[in-house]
Amino acid sequence: MKIIIIGGGIGGLTTALRFHQAGFEVKVFESVKEVKPLGVGINTLPHSVRVLTNLGLQGILAKNAIETTDLVYFNKFGQQFWTEPRGRFAGYKWPQFSIHRGTLQMILWEEAKRVLGEERLIANHHLARFEQDETGVTAYFTNRETGENSRVETGELLIGADGINSVVRQQLYPNEGPPVYSENVLYRGTTRMKPFLNGSSMAMIGSMQQKMVVYPIDPTPDADGNYLINWVGNLKEGKSRLTARDWNREADKARLVDIYKEWTFDWLDVPAMINGAKAVYEFPMSDRDPLDRWTFGRVTLLGDAAHPMYPIGSNGASQAILDADYLAECLLTSENVVDALEAYDKERVPAAAKVVLQNRAKGPDQIMDMMEERFPQGFTPDEIPHEELANVMDHYKKIAGFDVQTLNQKK
Ligand SMILES: Cc1cc2nc3c(=O)[nH]c(=O)nc-3n(C[C@H](O)[C@H](O)[C@H](O)COP(=O)(O)OP(=O)(O)OC[C@H]3O[C@@H](n4cnc5c(N)ncnc54)[C@H](O)[C@@H]3O)c2cc1C
């Protein structure tokens, strides 16, 4: 079976590797001329690391990522109110990795090149549109720089893994319009600095009004013993000037340092961390309403094209990887492509929709607002509602498909 994958991001590349492993013939078409390591930090949770492990990638990931040991929550005064072990430290069979998005994409790209062959990864080909009938799909590509038609490709199945501004989704849902803006702006950067907490922790500070997420993403220190630390500030800015999602738009660093100037704790100096970044990128936090179906005939959606979500709970990349794995299983176990896509939709459409909606309802970070609302001036240790916080955290893990008992039963 000839399969056309649109998009060489985390979702498209994992799909290519997983399909190749399952014995299918795939080609990946990517818009950009040259795939470069763009973005900042990203997390892969144990349920998706299971898939990457089965593709033989755990070793290379471990060399290039931080194995996250714990997730720790603090209020805006730097007081800790929640900590939990993560990945193998929480009893999962698979680790949680914090990694630079670009590093993860390049690992997948190089592996796909190695196992599929370079000729099956086709950069500089932007999908313009597709047509389909009962027997197959035809994809029409352009060169984005010149605008010229560059290629026509036919196959039996087309997968739109082309991100939040998916052309495939737009053709399937022509009236949908742009992503839905959350009125929050994300400020993302990386800084070389000394490790904080135990050196492999992920820290969440503040509330949804003003938040900072901080974690290391590279296990190799520089000559001065500094590590690459990823951070994301979240500011509720209401109707913002930012609407278009551009991952690479630079922000005003001095303004951000000023907003966070009080956040100097004995375990982390937030303004110094922001100041130490080479560049700060701003990005409107947005998603799309969940769809009832991703599949139409021989065409389906995957990853951000299917279910873009707020980056809360570290699930964006992981859910794309889960899609890839499940779709391969469906193709292996169904009689034909159409049945396989139906089975894929039946399982993954509602599963991903739940995560999108949970993230809109602040996902695990609800506990930050619970603490801020109850204790705006800080708390004493005996005031922490441990059980209530635990319920929120456990609920999210079940919704997002990574509660430890269920996951550990898988191979
Ligand atoms: C440049 C960039 C930087 C990012 N940085 C971060 C980050 O720092 N932190 C974070 O949490 N998430 C980041 N993300 C999003 C994150 O990668 C996704 O949320 C998640 O990994 C799901 O991946 P995906 O493959 O579905 O989508 P994406 O990673 O968005 O990949 C989609 C791919 O499809 C390609 N594409 C788009 N349209 C077409 C077309 N018509 N024809 C062919 N190819 C097409 C794109 O160039 C891209 O490579 C970034 C995405 C991009 C594209």
Side-chain angles (χ1 to χ4, degrees):
M1 185 179 2
K2 274 174 70 183
I3 300 173
I4 301 170
I5 298 173
I6 308 298
I10 313 297
L13 291 170
T14 307
T15 307
L17 287 166
R18 185 66 188 85
F19 280 23
H20 176 80
Q21 186 185 50
F24 302 117
E25 193 188 325
V26 289
K27 281 186 188 157
V28 180
F29 292 88
E30 166 56 49
S31 258
V32 301
K33 195 168 176 184
E34 193 189 341
V35 176
K36 291 187 191 146
L38 296 177
V40 289
I42 213 164
N43 261 261
T44 50
L45 300 176
H47 52 0
S48 64
V49 176
R50 170 188 156 265
V51 177
L52 300 173
T53 300
N54 291 343
L55 289 170
L57 294 172
Q58 196 185 121
I60 188 162
L61 288 171
K63 275 193 203 127
N64 288 280
I66 292 282
E67 180 168 352
T68 311
T69 51
D70 53 342
L71 172 64
V72 195
Y73 280 83
F74 301 85
N75 68 4
K76 60 181 182 264
F77 305 111
Q79 284 184 292
Q80 180 181 318
F81 59 85
W82 178 262
T83 178
E84 63 177 37
R86 298 295 280 192
R88 285 197 285 219
F89 302 92
Y92 289 95
K93 288 204 290 198
W94 300 275
Q96 171 172 339
F97 287 127
S98 297
I99 189 167
H100 194 289
R101 177 196 174 270
T103 306
L104 175 59
Q105 188 184 14
M106 293 318 291
I107 287 173
L108 295 170
W109 182 266
E110 288 306 317
E111 179 68 0
K113 212 153 92 176
R114 190 181 71 77
V115 301
L116 271 72
E118 208 160 344
E119 67 287 356
R120 298 195 166 271
L121 294 184
I122 302 139
N124 209 13
H125 279 65
H126 180 76
L127 180 84
R129 64 187 178 88
F130 63 84
E131 285 165 5
Q132 63 168 321
D133 60 25
E134 270 145 41
T135 56
V137 190
T138 308
Y140 297 86
F141 295 93
T142 54
N143 177 319
R144 268 223 294 201
E145 277 177 16
T146 62
E148 280 164 20
N149 296 338
S150 51
R151 182 162 173 159
V152 178
E153 186 78 18
T154 55
E156 281 139 89
L157 163 61
L158 181 139
I159 297 165
D162 47 345
I164 188 161
N165 296 313
S166 167
V167 169
V168 180
R169 180 169 173 143
Q170 202 183 7
Q171 191 173 330
L172 296 174
Y173 290 92
N175 300 320
E176 190 186 20
V180 185
Y181 171 52
S182 67
E183 304 201 347
N184 287 264
V185 178
L186 302 174
Y187 293 89
R188 306 170 309 132
T190 54
T191 304
R192 288 234 162 245
M193 57 191 241
K194 292 283 180 269
F196 66 95
L197 297 179
N198 76 8
S200 306
S201 304
M202 178 186 253
M204 319 284 292
I205 316 161
S207 68
M208 295 302 284
Q209 201 63 32
Q210 180 173 348
K211 178 168 110 175
M212 183 58 77
V213 180
V214 194
Y215 54 89
I217 52 173
D218 187 337
T220 313
D222 64 14
D224 301 322
N226 290 319
Y227 286 80
L228 191 65
I229 308 289
N230 176 77
W231 52 265
V232 187
N234 180 139
L235 296 178
K236 181 115 185 137
E237 295 194 359
K239 300 225 176 319
S240 157
R241 69 208 137 82
L242 297 181
T243 46
R245 284 177 61 129
D246 173 357
W247 288 103
N248 299 308
R249 185 176 33 233
E250 284 206 32
D252 177 357
K253 186 161 83 175
R255 172 179 166 258
L256 203 63
V257 171
D258 189 53
I259 291 172
Y260 283 91
K261 64 176 180 293
E262 308 287 329
W263 290 30
T264 50
F265 314 125
D266 53 3
W267 57 277
L268 183 71
D269 184 338
V270 174
M273 176 182 78
I274 299 172
N275 225 348
K278 274 202 193 115
V280 178
Y281 300 98
E282 58 186 14
F283 190 77
M285 188 164 96
S286 41
D287 65 2
R288 289 185 183 275
D289 292 334
L291 299 171
D292 291 337
R293 55 193 297 190
W294 301 340
T295 295
F296 290 81
R298 291 170 171 273
V299 175
T300 197
L301 299 170
L302 183 146
D304 274 10
H307 48 70
M309 57 183 66
Y310 297 164
I312 288 178
S314 310
N315 251 291
S318 291
Q319 292 295 324
I321 293 168
L322 295 189
D323 292 343
D325 188 48
Y326 197 76
L327 184 50
E329 282 305 315
C330 292
L331 285 166
L332 281 172
T333 53
S334 302
E335 299 240 317
N336 56 53
V337 176
V338 174
D339 285 359
L341 293 187
E342 222 165 85
Y344 167 65
D345 256 27
K346 200 167 165 207
E347 169 75 16
R348 292 299 303 155
V349 170
K354 278 190 201 150
V355 186
V356 171
L357 296 177
Q358 258 295 308
N359 286 3
R360 276 190 187 170
K362 304 175 202 167
D365 297 354
Q366 283 169 60
I367 67 173
M368 304 176 90
D369 280 3
M370 280 164 70
M371 292 301 285
E372 171 66 24
E373 278 155 25
R374 281 186 217 176
F375 309 106
Q377 303 308 324
F379 52 82
T380 55
D382 56 310
E383 288 178 311
I384 301 171
H386 294 286
E387 213 178 305
E388 260 181 83
L389 303 183
N391 287 341
V392 172
M393 301 305 278
D394 290 347
H395 180 64
Y396 186 75
K397 289 188 186 104
K398 288 203 178 86
I399 296 255
F402 67 108
D403 86 285
V404 64
Q405 282 82 11
T406 316
L407 184 61
N408 275 357
Q409 284 165 17
K410 297 192 178 179
K411 282 198 189 130

